Amino acid sequence: MNHLQIDKLHGAAKSGHAELIRLGVALLFIVGIIFYTALRGSPPNIMLIVAAVIGAYMAMNIGANDVANNVGPAVGSGALTMGGALIIAAIFEAAGALIAGGDVVTTIRSGIIDPEQIPDLQTFVWIMMAALLAGALWLNVATAVGAPVSTTHSIVGAVLGAGVAAGGFGIADWGQVGTIAASWVISPLLGGVFAALFLYLIKRTITYRQDMVAAATNTVPLLVGLMAWTFTTYLILKGLNKVWKVDFLPAVLYGLAAGVVVMLVLRPLLKSRQSQISNTKQSVNKLFTVPLIFAAALLSFAHGANDVANAIGPLAAINDALASAGELHGKAAIPLWVMMIGALGISIGLALYGPKVIRTVGSEITELDQMRAFCIALAATITVIVASQMGLPVSSTHIAVGGVFGVGFLREYLKASHARTLDEIKAHHPEDDQEAIEAFMARFDRATIQEKGLMLAELKEQARQQLDPAHFSKMERKNLKKVYRQELVKRSQIMKIAAAWVITVPASALMAAMVYFMLRGMLLA
């Protein structure tokens, strides 16, 4: 056996050892949940213990998959290391769940099935347990292949499948199902458009300028102020809405006040450091690092407050049904121990299995820097706020990933456009006059956007008046045209992620129906 084979074996063993450690930690958490839940009742309630274990498993899968949308762009851009992102996200996810997760939860998620058509308590408990387990299993599969999917869609699809299995097709609200299907298109499209628009704005106002530092000193405080405005509004409406009820307009005004304060503080700070910043894109990129770290933390807090219900909502509903002697309520109280399961499960799942999906979002779709990641984070919050007020169904997962695709496709378009411009310039110069081409390109690179347009118009007019304008060789033109087709977004990732999004609801629904029949058969036997 040669050294190469030994190294491969050593690497495989090391990878297997790390996987066993992750599995061991996850099992310890599950065992702890079993013991704690068993000690709560005398005698222990087996149904509640099973539901708690499945809820913990669901929470870990939410942490492993969904949190990637909050920190993936920051990690991919280099603003945060993987370790730093995991620590920040774990702390703020747990804080969001415990501080702002609320004290009640809707028992039937999103009104997808009619609780009046559920015949008895036992059937209700089976539906909730089947939905939890199926949603968690689907998230586990998606995480294993590195596909970021919507946990909300996973649990909604699972409730739908288990409900239909228990009560027939008439139990479902198919209009609501259609609304969810619409979000497969609406969410990524809106996220991609907003992210691309913000990136183009940054390019036009900063990176396309001769003095990028001066441009950044004027523009970055406005952009960061806009982010503070939108994030404060988002946090009030989506992160704190269960503990602090504020209408839309007051929330926007609070956010505006926060944005103005941030802008007024940041502007003089940047001006005082202006001489220390070099006139390069890399230096300007670093100005977005701190805002990105805050964005990752705040998005994680809001996510923990909102999406913890996907993990512990059915568990809280089961606990409420068992404690109320069979009476089904539209809303169920969330005991602290149930919320702790959700908060700890999300943090543990993120730490153990989150890096795979974080890498997919952050670096395996398109190359990100701090400016691009900033645009994605800003687009995510604005899209959720705008869509919520318009009554459009959106998924935060789809928005964030759509934002990544949006900035990637904009880069492709701008690169191809630049290549066509170069081709046009060379086509209007004699192919043996390289000195004239280089002189023109030097002036072209220093020009503003408006000046570049005038230069190209003059060049076309000069060529039109020439009887026999010379062109570059066919070989060089062929090489230039290859640049047009350069792909900066990985098409294989588009297909994988889109397929995962489309089949999330039907896949989790089918799994839930199968689990429901399995549970019913086992418990009635």
Side-chain angles (χ1 to χ4, degrees):
M1 185 178 291
N2 57 35
H3 290 294
L4 183 60
Q5 291 174 317
I6 292 173
D7 287 342
K8 286 182 178 179
L9 285 173
H10 179 70
K14 189 175 180 180
S15 175
H17 182 65
E19 191 62 36
L20 281 175
I21 292 175
R22 285 194 290 269
L23 182 61
V25 172
L27 287 175
L28 280 175
F29 175 61
I30 295 294
V31 170
I33 296 299
I34 293 172
F35 278 110
Y36 180 81
T37 311
L39 292 173
R40 289 188 55 81
S42 182
N45 190 314
I46 300 300
M47 295 291 283
L48 187 59
I49 293 172
V50 174
V53 167
I54 298 173
Y57 175 52
M58 179 66 171
M60 285 194 290
N61 279 288
I62 289 174
N65 193 290
D66 216 26
V67 182
N69 311 306
N70 305 327
V71 299
V75 172
S77 67
L80 279 172
T81 62
M82 181 66 77
L86 292 175
I87 292 170
I88 288 174
I91 292 171
F92 281 89
E93 286 279 342
L98 294 173
I99 296 171
D103 54 4
V104 295
V105 67
T106 304
T107 54
I108 303 295
R109 180 73 182 175
S110 296
I112 200 73
I113 61 173
D114 182 5
E116 298 295 328
Q117 297 190 43
I118 298 175
D120 52 47
L121 167 68
Q122 191 176 51
T123 302
F124 175 79
V125 172
W126 291 344
I127 289 173
M128 291 296 101
M129 289 178 65
L132 260 181
L133 183 56
L137 285 171
W138 171 247
L139 283 176
N140 202 331
V141 171
T143 303
V145 299
V149 297
S150 170
T151 55
T152 302
H153 288 182
S154 299
I155 195 67
V156 165
V159 169
L160 172 67
V164 169
F169 286 95
I171 199 173
D173 184 346
W174 295 106
Q176 188 75 0
V177 175
T179 300
I180 291 169
S183 73
W184 299 337
V185 177
I186 294 170
S187 298
L189 188 61
L190 284 178
V193 168
F194 275 119
L197 286 175
F198 284 125
L199 181 59
Y200 188 66
L201 175 66
I202 288 176
K203 287 182 175 295
R204 287 294 298 261
T205 57
I206 299 177
T207 59
Y208 287 171
R209 305 280 176 155
Q210 278 185 286
D211 191 344
M212 286 188 285
V213 177
T217 304
N218 293 323
T219 306
V220 169
L222 290 172
L223 291 170
V224 177
L226 176 61
M227 172 176 265
W229 181 5
T230 57
F231 267 70
T232 304
T233 306
Y234 178 82
L235 195 61
I236 293 172
L237 293 175
K238 296 294 181 181
L240 301 173
N241 64 324
K242 295 175 184 174
V243 294
W244 183 27
K245 296 294 183 184
V246 179
D247 291 334
F248 177 71
L249 185 57
V252 170
L253 294 176
Y254 289 136
L256 178 60
V260 170
V261 170
V262 168
M263 183 186 68
L264 293 176
V265 170
L266 188 58
R267 175 158 283 167
L269 186 64
L270 278 182
K271 284 189 178 295
S272 66
R273 293 185 52 223
Q274 188 170 348
S275 60
Q276 303 170 21
I277 305 171
S278 59
N279 192 36
T280 62
K281 185 179 177 182
Q282 186 177 9
S283 296
V284 172
N285 247 316
K286 291 179 181 177
L287 298 176
F288 293 93
T289 299
V290 174
L292 271 175
I293 295 172
F294 275 98
L298 292 175
L299 283 171
S300 296
F301 183 92
H303 179 270
N306 270 300
D307 281 36
V308 69
N310 289 326
I312 54 89
L315 173 57
I318 292 170
N319 178 70
D320 181 72
L322 294 174
S324 61
E327 186 178 353
L328 301 182
H329 300 120
K331 291 185 179 293
I334 306 177
L336 180 61
W337 70 273
V338 172
M339 187 63 80
M340 284 295 297
I341 289 177
L344 290 175
I346 288 175
S347 298
I348 290 171
L350 168 67
L352 296 179
Y353 298 103
K356 185 166 188 175
V357 181
I358 289 174
R359 290 190 191 97
T360 297
V361 175
S363 58
E364 294 180 4
I365 296 174
T366 191
E367 183 182 347
L368 296 177
D369 58 18
Q370 286 94 323
M371 282 186 285
R372 296 167 199 152
F374 176 89
C375 295
I376 293 165
L378 186 55
T381 54
I382 289 181
T383 304
V384 170
I385 293 169
V386 171
S388 297
Q389 294 309 304
M390 294 177 65
L392 297 174
V394 292
S395 160
S396 59
T397 300
H398 296 183
I399 292 169
V401 176
V404 177
F405 282 120
V407 299
F409 283 124
L410 177 66
R411 291 177 61 219
E412 281 192 8
Y413 170 77
L414 293 177
K415 197 170 188 69
S417 179
H418 182 65
R420 282 192 292 269
T421 301
L422 292 181
D423 190 21
E424 190 173 326
I425 290 170
K426 290 191 173 186
H428 292 87
H429 284 82
E431 61 181 272
D432 58 347
D433 195 355
Q434 192 65 33
E435 187 176 339
I437 294 174
E438 291 175 358
F440 185 91
M441 287 305 304
R443 288 190 294 115
F444 189 78
D445 289 337
R446 291 193 302 270
T448 64
I449 295 289
Q450 292 77 11
E451 291 170 343
K452 285 178 179 177
L454 291 174
M455 290 174 70
L456 288 175
E458 290 174 2
L459 199 62
K460 290 179 181 178
E461 181 62 23
Q462 291 172 8
R464 189 181 65 81
Q465 294 177 5
Q466 291 177 3
L467 295 176
D468 185 23
H471 296 275
F472 252 48
S473 64
K474 290 183 179 179
M475 181 58 69
E476 184 162 4
R477 186 178 294 276
K478 185 178 179 181
N479 290 336
L480 274 169
K481 288 183 186 294
K482 288 180 181 178
V483 181
Y484 303 167
R485 297 190 297 270
Q486 186 173 355
E487 293 181 352
L488 301 178
V489 178
K490 294 181 181 177
R491 267 57 177 175
S492 60
Q493 290 290 354
I494 298 176
M495 298 305 297
K496 180 178 79 173
I497 292 171
W501 287 354
V502 170
I503 66 173
T504 288
V505 170
S508 58
L510 181 61
M511 285 183 180
M514 294 170 64
V515 172
Y516 171 80
F517 285 124
M518 182 183 69
L519 286 173
R520 187 172 180 273
M522 290 170 56
L523 296 173
L524 288 180

